[in-house]
Amino acid sequence: MQLVQTQISRRNPAETALAPLQALQPDLVLAFGDVRHFSAAPWLAMLQAQCPKAQLLGCSTAGEITAQGVGEGELVLTGLKFSGTGLRAAAALLPEMAGSHAAGLEIGQQLAPDLDGAPLRAVLVFGPGVDINGSALVAGISAALAALHPGSVIPLTGGLAGDGGAFRQTFTLGAQGIGERQVAAVGLYGAALHLAHGSFGGWETFGPARKVTRCSNNVLYELDGEPALGVYKRYLGDYARDLPASGLLFPFAMLGENHDHIGLIRTILGIDEASGSLTLAGDIDPDGYLKLMHASTDRLVGGAEAAAEAAQQMLAATGDLSGQPALAILVSCVGRKLVMGDRVDEEVEAVADVFGADCQLTGFYSYGEISPFVPGGDCRLHNQTMTITYLGEA
């Protein structure tokens, strides 16, 4: 596998930035950048003309990640040229949030069990960051993959697009070009691929556990018989003035019927004053409990390091790839970025220290992260985590 990374910015226009990609002629180009690069994208036609065989995949962000740290306002393009891995693109339109599961099914059904005899090994997927039920999307893709690949566990990783924390308009890039309502994915095929993943948070719970007394999918109406928005505002105090954006600082931990932690965190994406409801990034357990969370920078950096170590342990079980070029795709929640502030580069540095100099980094700050809990486990939508996908070839 060969890699090249370049950035389009005010100081580095597309005409200059795309030259390394043209020289490589990659099979896959990952694009993560500020929303303005997707709302008006003169670079896209240039990239398609210069790299006509490349599959394009990516999304708008709430901050761009490279080995140099976290940037804003840029477009990071990472080209991968594989030696033995095949690719197949999939795309589906998501007209409204209620269609999230159906869009996931459509994506999964487009990814055939094999490509020229090589089995499907993994799927990268990026979806809109607003008006979406991320957990329903993941469930739809997983259901379709399970039906097409009985007995196989296909890792699904990726995330939901961002728009700098505005929660108004996000974009994805895929087989249908750039779109606001497109779910875009690429399936990776063949035994040469080495993939590992890790996901970890670093948040702490506080306050009492509140019973979910009324919800519908990812819309929370009542906690302990009270309007959910009213309960949430009481806890936030002065932060309530800045909702829904301030909700990124105080996500919910999902608890089971016995108040046990199930490992999922839910971020608030929107509020409805009329109904007193909260719209969360993924489904809510109607029989479960929710508990507020907060975090410190040190704990979040430690969580990022733990995610990298989990991926490294998974990788070690597949063979020694030391000295070989590799790519780590980091998808971290925008809420983590807000908490860490000027220290946000530290979580990227922690990941880089684990993987070493042979591993290039790319990624973005998101409105939802997609990854299995553990190797061979179910794929889920996460919030407020650092999620890492490691790609290499034997």
Side-chain angles (χ1 to χ4, degrees), residues 304-315:
E305 184 178 27
E309 289 172 344
Q312 187 80 301
Q313 290 172 8
M314 182 178 174
L315 183 67

Side-chain angles (χ1 to χ4, degrees), residues 129-153:
V130 294
D131 295 324
I132 186 172
N133 183 334
S135 59
L137 173 72
V138 172
I141 299 174
S142 297
L145 292 176
L148 289 172
H149 310 268
S152 299
V153 177

Side-chain angles (χ1 to χ4, degrees), residues 101 103-105 107-108 111 123 125 136-146 156 183 185:
H101 189 271
L105 285 172
I107 289 289
L111 297 171
V123 178
V125 61
L137 173 72
V138 172
I141 299 174
S142 297
L145 292 176
L156 174 67
V183 179

